[in-house]
PDB file of all heavy atoms in Angstrom:
ATOM      1  N   ASN Z 133      35.359  61.357 -40.034  1.00  0.00           N
ATOM      2  CA  ASN Z 133      35.968  60.070 -39.656  1.00  0.00           C
ATOM      3  C   ASN Z 133      35.258  58.927 -40.372  1.00  0.00           C
ATOM      4  O   ASN Z 133      34.040  58.960 -40.562  1.00  0.00           O
ATOM      5  CB  ASN Z 133      35.816  59.819 -38.150  1.00  0.00           C
ATOM      6  CG  ASN Z 133      36.667  60.765 -37.328  1.00  0.00           C
ATOM      7  OD1 ASN Z 133      37.594  61.393 -37.830  1.00  0.00           O
ATOM      8  ND2 ASN Z 133      36.325  60.887 -36.047  1.00  0.00           N
ATOM      9  N   GLN Z 134      36.023  57.911 -40.728  1.00  0.00           N
ATOM     10  CA  GLN Z 134      35.490  56.633 -41.212  1.00  0.00           C
ATOM     11  C   GLN Z 134      34.395  56.783 -42.268  1.00  0.00           C
ATOM     12  O   GLN Z 134      33.356  56.144 -42.206  1.00  0.00           O
ATOM     13  CB  GLN Z 134      34.972  55.800 -40.028  1.00  0.00           C
ATOM     14  CG  GLN Z 134      36.061  55.569 -38.996  1.00  0.00           C
ATOM     15  CD  GLN Z 134      35.730  54.441 -38.021  1.00  0.00           C
ATOM     16  OE1 GLN Z 134      34.696  53.803 -38.099  1.00  0.00           O
ATOM     17  NE2 GLN Z 134      36.633  54.192 -37.098  1.00  0.00           N
ATOM     18  N   HIS Z 135      34.653  57.637 -43.246  1.00  0.00           N
ATOM     19  CA  HIS Z 135      33.661  57.901 -44.291  1.00  0.00           C
ATOM     20  C   HIS Z 135      34.003  57.172 -45.590  1.00  0.00           C
ATOM     21  O   HIS Z 135      33.115  56.840 -46.374  1.00  0.00           O
ATOM     22  CB  HIS Z 135      33.600  59.415 -44.549  1.00  0.00           C
ATOM     23  CG  HIS Z 135      32.663  59.799 -45.645  1.00  0.00           C
ATOM     24  ND1 HIS Z 135      31.291  59.683 -45.528  1.00  0.00           N
ATOM     25  CD2 HIS Z 135      32.890  60.269 -46.904  1.00  0.00           C
ATOM     26  CE1 HIS Z 135      30.713  60.090 -46.651  1.00  0.00           C
ATOM     27  NE2 HIS Z 135      31.654  60.441 -47.501  1.00  0.00           N
ATOM     28  N   PHE Z 136      35.293  56.904 -45.822  1.00  0.00           N
ATOM     29  CA  PHE Z 136      35.718  56.411 -47.134  1.00  0.00           C
ATOM     30  C   PHE Z 136      36.016  54.906 -47.114  1.00  0.00           C
ATOM     31  O   PHE Z 136      36.486  54.362 -46.120  1.00  0.00           O
ATOM     32  CB  PHE Z 136      36.958  57.183 -47.616  1.00  0.00           C
ATOM     33  CG  PHE Z 136      36.659  58.640 -47.866  1.00  0.00           C
ATOM     34  CD1 PHE Z 136      36.891  59.598 -46.875  1.00  0.00           C
ATOM     35  CD2 PHE Z 136      36.119  59.050 -49.067  1.00  0.00           C
ATOM     36  CE1 PHE Z 136      36.598  60.935 -47.095  1.00  0.00           C
ATOM     37  CE2 PHE Z 136      35.816  60.385 -49.298  1.00  0.00           C
ATOM     38  CZ  PHE Z 136      36.060  61.329 -48.308  1.00  0.00           C
ATOM     39  N   ASP Z 137      35.743  54.276 -48.248  1.00  0.00           N
ATOM     40  CA  ASP Z 137      36.026  52.845 -48.421  1.00  0.00           C
ATOM     41  C   ASP Z 137      37.396  52.634 -49.052  1.00  0.00           C
ATOM     42  O   ASP Z 137      37.953  51.544 -48.971  1.00  0.00           O
ATOM     43  CB  ASP Z 137      34.976  52.212 -49.341  1.00  0.00           C
ATOM     44  CG  ASP Z 137      33.575  52.503 -48.882  1.00  0.00           C
ATOM     45  OD1 ASP Z 137      33.161  51.896 -47.877  1.00  0.00           O
ATOM     46  OD2 ASP Z 137      32.900  53.363 -49.493  1.00  0.00           O
ATOM     47  N   LEU Z 138      37.881  53.687 -49.727  1.00  0.00           N
ATOM     48  CA  LEU Z 138      39.190  53.584 -50.400  1.00  0.00           C
ATOM     49  C   LEU Z 138      39.846  54.961 -50.394  1.00  0.00           C
ATOM     50  O   LEU Z 138      39.183  55.968 -50.664  1.00  0.00           O
ATOM     51  CB  LEU Z 138      39.009  53.068 -51.831  1.00  0.00           C
ATOM     52  CG  LEU Z 138      40.275  52.624 -52.576  1.00  0.00           C
ATOM     53  CD1 LEU Z 138      39.927  51.548 -53.615  1.00  0.00           C
ATOM     54  CD2 LEU Z 138      40.971  53.757 -53.297  1.00  0.00           C
ATOM     55  N   VAL Z 139      41.117  54.997 -50.061  1.00  0.00           N
ATOM     56  CA  VAL Z 139      41.897  56.246 -50.082  1.00  0.00           C
ATOM     57  C   VAL Z 139      43.130  56.011 -50.944  1.00  0.00           C
ATOM     58  O   VAL Z 139      43.824  54.999 -50.775  1.00  0.00           O
ATOM     59  CB  VAL Z 139      42.334  56.654 -48.650  1.00  0.00           C
ATOM     60  CG1 VAL Z 139      43.255  57.881 -48.695  1.00  0.00           C
ATOM     61  CG2 VAL Z 139      41.124  56.929 -47.761  1.00  0.00           C
ATOM     62  N   PHE Z 140      43.368  56.925 -51.884  1.00  0.00           N
ATOM     63  CA  PHE Z 140      44.563  56.814 -52.744  1.00  0.00           C
ATOM     64  C   PHE Z 140      45.447  58.025 -52.510  1.00  0.00           C
ATOM     65  O   PHE Z 140      45.040  59.162 -52.759  1.00  0.00           O
ATOM     66  CB  PHE Z 140      44.142  56.718 -54.218  1.00  0.00           C
ATOM     67  CG  PHE Z 140      45.307  56.632 -55.185  1.00  0.00           C
ATOM     68  CD1 PHE Z 140      46.375  55.770 -54.953  1.00  0.00           C
ATOM     69  CD2 PHE Z 140      45.323  57.390 -56.342  1.00  0.00           C
ATOM     70  CE1 PHE Z 140      47.447  55.686 -55.847  1.00  0.00           C
ATOM     71  CE2 PHE Z 140      46.388  57.313 -57.252  1.00  0.00           C
ATOM     72  CZ  PHE Z 140      47.445  56.456 -56.996  1.00  0.00           C
ATOM     73  N   ILE Z 141      46.649  57.779 -51.995  1.00  0.00           N
ATOM     74  CA  ILE Z 141      47.589  58.864 -51.689  1.00  0.00           C
ATOM     75  C   ILE Z 141      48.638  58.959 -52.786  1.00  0.00           C
ATOM     76  O   ILE Z 141      49.417  58.022 -53.004  1.00  0.00           O
ATOM     77  CB  ILE Z 141      48.288  58.616 -50.321  1.00  0.00           C
ATOM     78  CG1 ILE Z 141      47.255  58.556 -49.197  1.00  0.00           C
ATOM     79  CG2 ILE Z 141      49.324  59.707 -50.053  1.00  0.00           C
ATOM     80  CD1 ILE Z 141      47.842  58.190 -47.835  1.00  0.00           C
ATOM     81  N   ASP Z 142      48.655  60.098 -53.484  1.00  0.00           N
ATOM     82  CA  ASP Z 142      49.646  60.315 -54.543  1.00  0.00           C
ATOM     83  C   ASP Z 142      49.858  61.822 -54.711  1.00  0.00           C
ATOM     84  O   ASP Z 142      49.566  62.388 -55.757  1.00  0.00           O
ATOM     85  CB  ASP Z 142      49.181  59.674 -55.855  1.00  0.00           C
ATOM     86  CG  ASP Z 142      50.275  59.698 -56.910  1.00  0.00           C
ATOM     87  OD1 ASP Z 142      51.443  59.950 -56.551  1.00  0.00           O
ATOM     88  OD2 ASP Z 142      49.961  59.468 -58.089  1.00  0.00           O
ATOM     89  N   ALA Z 143      50.346  62.464 -53.647  1.00  0.00           N
ATOM     90  CA  ALA Z 143      50.548  63.918 -53.690  1.00  0.00           C
ATOM     91  C   ALA Z 143      51.969  64.232 -53.230  1.00  0.00           C
ATOM     92  O   ALA Z 143      52.837  63.358 -53.266  1.00  0.00           O
ATOM     93  CB  ALA Z 143      49.500  64.604 -52.814  1.00  0.00           C
ATOM     94  N   ASN Z 144      52.221  65.474 -52.793  1.00  0.00           N
ATOM     95  CA  ASN Z 144      53.568  65.882 -52.387  1.00  0.00           C
ATOM     96  C   ASN Z 144      54.095  64.991 -51.256  1.00  0.00           C
ATOM     97  O   ASN Z 144      53.400  64.718 -50.280  1.00  0.00           O
ATOM     98  CB  ASN Z 144      53.567  67.355 -51.966  1.00  0.00           C
ATOM     99  CG  ASN Z 144      52.619  67.627 -50.834  1.00  0.00           C
ATOM    100  OD1 ASN Z 144      51.462  67.216 -50.890  1.00  0.00           O
ATOM    101  ND2 ASN Z 144      53.080  68.281 -49.793  1.00  0.00           N
ATOM    102  N   LYS Z 145      55.324  64.529 -51.454  1.00  0.00           N
ATOM    103  CA  LYS Z 145      55.866  63.513 -50.536  1.00  0.00           C
ATOM    104  C   LYS Z 145      56.154  64.086 -49.136  1.00  0.00           C
ATOM    105  O   LYS Z 145      56.143  63.342 -48.152  1.00  0.00           O
ATOM    106  CB  LYS Z 145      57.138  62.883 -51.119  1.00  0.00           C
ATOM    107  CG  LYS Z 145      56.995  62.383 -52.553  1.00  0.00           C
ATOM    108  CD  LYS Z 145      55.761  61.525 -52.777  1.00  0.00           C
ATOM    109  CE  LYS Z 145      55.518  61.266 -54.252  1.00  0.00           C
ATOM    110  NZ  LYS Z 145      54.111  61.014 -54.604  1.00  0.00           N
ATOM    111  N   GLY Z 146      56.389  65.387 -49.051  1.00  0.00           N
ATOM    112  CA  GLY Z 146      56.685  66.007 -47.760  1.00  0.00           C
ATOM    113  C   GLY Z 146      55.586  65.812 -46.726  1.00  0.00           C
ATOM    114  O   GLY Z 146      55.841  65.796 -45.521  1.00  0.00           O
ATOM    115  N   ASP Z 147      54.349  65.656 -47.196  1.00  0.00           N
ATOM    116  CA  ASP Z 147      53.213  65.483 -46.285  1.00  0.00           C
ATOM    117  C   ASP Z 147      52.720  64.038 -46.217  1.00  0.00           C
ATOM    118  O   ASP Z 147      51.617  63.768 -45.727  1.00  0.00           O
ATOM    119  CB  ASP Z 147      52.059  66.402 -46.710  1.00  0.00           C
ATOM    120  CG  ASP Z 147      52.362  67.863 -46.423  1.00  0.00           C
ATOM    121  OD1 ASP Z 147      52.833  68.150 -45.295  1.00  0.00           O
ATOM    122  OD2 ASP Z 147      52.154  68.712 -47.302  1.00  0.00           O
ATOM    123  N   TYR Z 148      53.504  63.101 -46.705  1.00  0.00           N
ATOM    124  CA  TYR Z 148      53.041  61.703 -46.789  1.00  0.00           C
ATOM    125  C   TYR Z 148      52.671  61.102 -45.424  1.00  0.00           C
ATOM    126  O   TYR Z 148      51.707  60.368 -45.319  1.00  0.00           O
ATOM    127  CB  TYR Z 148      54.109  60.842 -47.478  1.00  0.00           C
ATOM    128  CG  TYR Z 148      53.733  60.424 -48.891  1.00  0.00           C
ATOM    129  CD1 TYR Z 148      53.016  61.289 -49.736  1.00  0.00           C
ATOM    130  CD2 TYR Z 148      54.075  59.172 -49.399  1.00  0.00           C
ATOM    131  CE1 TYR Z 148      52.676  60.906 -51.029  1.00  0.00           C
ATOM    132  CE2 TYR Z 148      53.727  58.794 -50.693  1.00  0.00           C
ATOM    133  CZ  TYR Z 148      53.041  59.653 -51.500  1.00  0.00           C
ATOM    134  OH  TYR Z 148      52.698  59.266 -52.778  1.00  0.00           O
ATOM    135  N   LEU Z 149      53.463  61.398 -44.396  1.00  0.00           N
ATOM    136  CA  LEU Z 149      53.150  60.824 -43.075  1.00  0.00           C
ATOM    137  C   LEU Z 149      51.801  61.346 -42.586  1.00  0.00           C
ATOM    138  O   LEU Z 149      50.976  60.594 -42.050  1.00  0.00           O
ATOM    139  CB  LEU Z 149      54.255  61.178 -42.070  1.00  0.00           C
ATOM    140  CG  LEU Z 149      55.566  60.401 -42.264  1.00  0.00           C
ATOM    141  CD1 LEU Z 149      56.728  61.117 -41.585  1.00  0.00           C
ATOM    142  CD2 LEU Z 149      55.439  58.979 -41.729  1.00  0.00           C
ATOM    143  N   ASN Z 150      51.589  62.632 -42.826  1.00  0.00           N
ATOM    144  CA  ASN Z 150      50.322  63.257 -42.456  1.00  0.00           C
ATOM    145  C   ASN Z 150      49.156  62.657 -43.262  1.00  0.00           C
ATOM    146  O   ASN Z 150      48.096  62.339 -42.716  1.00  0.00           O
ATOM    147  CB  ASN Z 150      50.439  64.762 -42.726  1.00  0.00           C
ATOM    148  CG  ASN Z 150      49.411  65.546 -41.961  1.00  0.00           C
ATOM    149  OD1 ASN Z 150      48.286  65.088 -41.815  1.00  0.00           O
ATOM    150  ND2 ASN Z 150      49.780  66.719 -41.475  1.00  0.00           N
TER     151      ASN Z 150
END
Side-chain angles (χ1 to χ4, degrees):
N133 291 343
Q134 303 196 1
H135 177 69
F136 295 95
D137 308 286
L138 192 152
V139 175
F140 179 46
I141 300 175
D142 189 14
N144 59 311
K145 309 311 169 207
D147 289 314
Y148 253 36
L149 286 160
N150 200 323

